[in-house]
Short mmCIF file of all heavy atoms in Angstrom, two decimals:
data_model
loop_
_atom_site.label_atom_id
_atom_site.label_comp_id
_atom_site.label_asym_id
_atom_site.label_seq_id
_atom_site.Cartn_x
_atom_site.Cartn_y
_atom_site.Cartn_z
N ASN A 270 124.27 115.36 93.65
CA ASN A 270 122.95 115.81 93.25
C ASN A 270 122.47 117.05 94.02
O ASN A 270 122.00 118.02 93.41
CB ASN A 270 121.95 114.67 93.35
CG ASN A 270 120.55 115.07 92.91
OD1 ASN A 270 119.74 115.41 93.76
ND2 ASN A 270 120.31 115.05 91.66
N ALA A 271 122.61 116.96 95.35
CA ALA A 271 122.19 118.09 96.18
C ALA A 271 123.03 119.30 95.94
O ALA A 271 122.45 120.43 95.98
CB ALA A 271 122.25 117.70 97.65
N ALA A 272 124.30 119.16 95.69
CA ALA A 272 125.15 120.31 95.38
C ALA A 272 124.63 121.11 94.19
O ALA A 272 124.64 122.34 94.18
CB ALA A 272 126.58 119.86 95.15
N VAL A 273 124.14 120.37 93.19
CA VAL A 273 123.61 121.02 91.97
C VAL A 273 122.28 121.73 92.30
O VAL A 273 122.06 122.88 91.92
CB VAL A 273 123.37 119.97 90.83
CG1 VAL A 273 122.68 120.64 89.65
CG2 VAL A 273 124.70 119.36 90.42
N ASP A 274 121.39 121.03 93.00
CA ASP A 274 120.03 121.58 93.20
C ASP A 274 120.01 122.74 94.18
O ASP A 274 119.12 123.59 94.07
CB ASP A 274 119.12 120.44 93.71
CG ASP A 274 118.71 119.48 92.64
OD1 ASP A 274 118.82 119.84 91.42
OD2 ASP A 274 118.27 118.37 92.94
N TYR A 275 120.96 122.76 95.14
CA TYR A 275 120.80 123.78 96.21
C TYR A 275 121.83 124.88 96.17
O TYR A 275 121.80 125.79 97.00
CB TYR A 275 120.76 123.04 97.53
CG TYR A 275 119.61 122.15 97.64
CD1 TYR A 275 119.68 120.84 97.35
CD2 TYR A 275 118.34 122.68 97.87
CE1 TYR A 275 118.55 119.97 97.37
CE2 TYR A 275 117.15 121.88 97.84
CZ TYR A 275 117.32 120.50 97.63
OH TYR A 275 116.19 119.75 97.57
N ALA A 276 122.71 124.83 95.17
CA ALA A 276 123.71 125.99 95.00
C ALA A 276 122.95 127.34 94.81
O ALA A 276 123.36 128.36 95.40
CB ALA A 276 124.58 125.70 93.80
N PRO A 277 121.81 127.37 94.12
CA PRO A 277 121.12 128.65 93.98
C PRO A 277 120.62 129.26 95.33
O PRO A 277 120.32 130.48 95.38
CB PRO A 277 119.95 128.33 93.08
CG PRO A 277 120.38 127.15 92.30
CD PRO A 277 121.16 126.32 93.28
N TYR A 278 120.49 128.41 96.36
CA TYR A 278 120.08 128.94 97.68
C TYR A 278 121.26 129.22 98.55
O TYR A 278 121.08 129.52 99.80
CB TYR A 278 119.21 127.85 98.34
CG TYR A 278 117.94 127.49 97.53
CD1 TYR A 278 117.97 126.40 96.66
CD2 TYR A 278 116.82 128.24 97.63
CE1 TYR A 278 116.85 126.08 95.91
CE2 TYR A 278 115.66 127.90 96.93
CZ TYR A 278 115.70 126.83 96.04
OH TYR A 278 114.63 126.51 95.32
N GLY A 279 122.50 129.20 98.07
CA GLY A 279 123.65 129.45 98.88
C GLY A 279 124.03 128.28 99.82
O GLY A 279 124.66 128.51 100.84
N ILE A 280 123.52 127.12 99.42
CA ILE A 280 123.81 125.94 100.32
C ILE A 280 124.80 125.03 99.63
O ILE A 280 124.61 124.62 98.46
CB ILE A 280 122.47 125.12 100.55
CG1 ILE A 280 121.44 126.05 101.21
CG2 ILE A 280 122.72 123.87 101.41
CD1 ILE A 280 120.03 125.46 101.23
N ARG A 281 125.89 124.76 100.32
CA ARG A 281 126.95 123.89 99.82
C ARG A 281 126.79 122.50 100.37
O ARG A 281 126.42 122.30 101.60
CB ARG A 281 128.33 124.43 100.20
CG ARG A 281 128.61 125.81 99.61
CD ARG A 281 129.95 126.36 100.03
NE ARG A 281 130.11 126.54 101.47
CZ ARG A 281 130.70 125.74 102.32
NH1 ARG A 281 131.29 124.63 101.87
NH2 ARG A 281 130.82 126.02 103.60
N VAL A 282 127.09 121.49 99.55
CA VAL A 282 126.99 120.11 99.98
C VAL A 282 128.23 119.32 99.52
O VAL A 282 128.54 119.29 98.31
CB VAL A 282 125.72 119.42 99.38
CG1 VAL A 282 125.54 117.99 100.02
CG2 VAL A 282 124.49 120.22 99.69
N ASN A 283 128.97 118.72 100.45
CA ASN A 283 130.16 117.97 100.12
C ASN A 283 130.18 116.68 100.91
O ASN A 283 129.30 116.39 101.77
CB ASN A 283 131.40 118.72 100.57
CG ASN A 283 131.59 119.99 99.73
OD1 ASN A 283 131.95 119.97 98.53
ND2 ASN A 283 131.28 121.17 100.30
N SER A 284 131.19 115.80 100.61
CA SER A 284 131.37 114.58 101.43
C SER A 284 132.83 114.37 101.69
O SER A 284 133.70 114.90 100.92
CB SER A 284 130.80 113.35 100.72
OG SER A 284 131.65 112.90 99.70
N VAL A 285 133.11 113.68 102.81
CA VAL A 285 134.49 113.25 103.06
C VAL A 285 134.49 111.70 103.05
O VAL A 285 133.55 111.04 103.44
CB VAL A 285 134.93 113.74 104.49
CG1 VAL A 285 135.27 115.19 104.40
CG2 VAL A 285 133.89 113.47 105.56
N ASN A 286 135.66 111.17 102.59
CA ASN A 286 135.72 109.74 102.33
C ASN A 286 137.09 109.25 102.87
O ASN A 286 138.12 109.41 102.23
CB ASN A 286 135.62 109.47 100.85
CG ASN A 286 134.25 109.88 100.31
OD1 ASN A 286 133.29 109.12 100.29
ND2 ASN A 286 134.17 111.17 99.91
N MET A 287 137.04 108.56 104.02
CA MET A 287 138.22 108.15 104.70
C MET A 287 138.55 106.69 104.53
O MET A 287 137.65 105.86 104.24
CB MET A 287 138.11 108.48 106.20
CG MET A 287 136.97 107.86 106.91
SD MET A 287 135.31 108.62 106.52
CE MET A 287 135.66 110.30 107.11
N ALA A 288 139.81 106.36 104.74
CA ALA A 288 140.22 104.97 104.84
C ALA A 288 140.22 104.66 106.32
O ALA A 288 139.51 105.31 107.12
CB ALA A 288 141.62 104.76 104.22
N ALA A 289 140.94 103.63 106.74
CA ALA A 289 140.91 103.20 108.13
C ALA A 289 141.20 104.34 109.09
O ALA A 289 142.19 105.02 108.96
CB ALA A 289 141.92 102.07 108.34
N THR A 290 140.27 104.57 110.02
CA THR A 290 140.41 105.64 111.04
C THR A 290 140.19 104.97 112.41
O THR A 290 139.46 103.95 112.51
CB THR A 290 139.40 106.75 110.82
OG1 THR A 290 139.62 107.29 109.48
CG2 THR A 290 139.52 107.85 111.82
#
Side-chain angles (χ1 to χ4, degrees):
N270 179 262
V273 174
D274 284 343
Y275 297 98
Y278 300 95
I280 301 168
R281 299 180 295 103
V282 188
N283 294 286
S284 78
V285 285
N286 297 269
M287 57 286 301
T290 301

